[in-house]
Amino acid sequence: MPTRMLQIPTADGQADAVAAFPDDGRRHPGVLLYTDGFGIRPVLRKMARELADHGYYVLVPNFLYRHGPAPVVELPEHIGEAARIAIMGRLMPLIEAHTIEQTLRDADAYLSFLTTQAEVGSGPVAVTGYCIGGLLAVRTAAAYPGEVAALAGFHAPVGAAGPDSLRRLTAQVHFGHAETDLTPEALGKLNQSLDAAGADYTSEIYPDTVHGFTMADTDAFSPAALQLHWERLLSLLDRALANC
């Protein structure tokens, strides 16, 4: 499974990125994958390769590239709770400084780069994200409805995108929430907003999960929830990108 380190030209500089794709000489549907706040690291490279194994070209940009190449801060092999608190203390100011305007400028650059790769098919793409990356994914899909056919977000503050963004979604959608992130009442309100927007979606709380459940290098990791995430994500991509 080829993996490339790339530089994506953006309006504000060069974003470092990783791409994974099948080595079969064919063109495949593109997937833009936004990382969680910790950024590109071995566990995200592994997830990109696993997704690519199912027949997708997966592009993983460092959305904090304005602050340096990934990892923007030094990360241990395993991010335990004490380390998580210290690391997020350094990362949160950078994440909070990442504006909507920057997000949309970058999204334009990422999508333009992704769709012009020789290994990527000519049809629409998918966007998925984890934690803060899920919010970036929603904003990307809302801003580029003609290019994004599938949208997924996991343990992500997707509601923070606001009702205007939800109303602009035309992609097929799946949101997988952590029990500690969203109460059933809050899930109901989010799903009501998606209903009102006319979205084609599934949105559910994954059982027995805490924030970050897909990330195998953290204490939040849940193997069962990661497997459920793959089932939901691959089903979504199969439906939305089948003809791409």
Side-chain angles (χ1 to χ4, degrees), residues 5-243:
M5 300 296 295
L6 303 168
Q7 294 289 321
I8 304 174
T10 77
D12 298 326
Q14 297 277 326
D16 52 305
V18 172
F21 52 92
D23 187 18
D24 57 8
R26 298 167 54 193
R27 301 174 77 189
H28 296 275
V31 179
L32 174 59
L33 189 159
Y34 286 108
T35 71
D36 61 1
F38 297 126
I40 299 171
R41 58 196 193 280
V43 71
L44 264 300
R45 293 187 182 93
K46 180 180 178 181
M47 292 173 75
R49 290 194 298 269
E50 183 163 351
L51 184 52
D53 275 338
H54 291 274
Y56 300 99
Y57 182 107
V58 185
L59 180 65
V60 188
N62 168 24
F63 72 89
L64 292 176
Y65 69 89
R66 292 173 181 85
H67 305 283
V72 175
V73 302
E74 185 176 354
L75 299 173
E77 183 175 339
H78 181 83
I79 304 170
E81 184 60 18
R84 184 193 69 81
I85 293 171
I87 293 166
M88 289 309 298
R90 297 176 62 190
L91 284 173
M92 280 308 298
L94 310 184
I95 293 170
E96 291 170 351
H98 191 73
T99 67
I100 294 175
E101 291 76 19
Q102 289 174 338
T103 297
L104 298 184
R105 287 201 303 271
D106 290 347
D108 181 69
Y110 300 156
L111 291 174
S112 296
F113 186 91
L114 175 61
T115 55
T116 55
Q117 297 308 293
E119 300 86 0
V120 176
S122 59
V125 302
V127 183
T128 186
Y130 303 86
C131 185
I132 187 63
L135 176 57
L136 303 183
V138 174
R139 287 177 170 156
T140 299
Y144 296 93
E147 297 183 50
V148 178
L151 163 66
F154 300 93
H155 45 85
V158 295
D164 288 344
S165 289
L166 298 181
R167 280 194 291 270
R168 292 197 298 271
L169 294 176
T170 59
Q172 296 185 47
V173 178
H174 175 72
F175 294 142
H177 311 283
E179 280 189 348
T180 56
D181 286 345
L182 210 64
T183 66
E185 293 76 19
L187 175 66
K189 290 181 180 179
L190 173 62
N191 291 352
Q192 285 175 5
S193 297
L194 290 165
D195 287 333
D200 180 359
Y201 76 95
T202 57
S203 174
E204 61 184 307
I205 295 173
Y206 285 20
D208 304 317
T209 54
V210 298
H211 181 76
F213 59 78
T214 60
M215 297 297 146
D217 60 350
T218 72
D219 287 350
F221 179 55
S222 166
L226 176 65
Q227 181 58 37
L228 180 58
H229 139 278
W230 284 124
E231 292 171 5
R232 297 290 194 264
L233 178 58
L234 292 171
S235 176
L236 171 71
L237 299 184
D238 185 61
R239 294 193 309 273
L241 303 179
N243 298 318

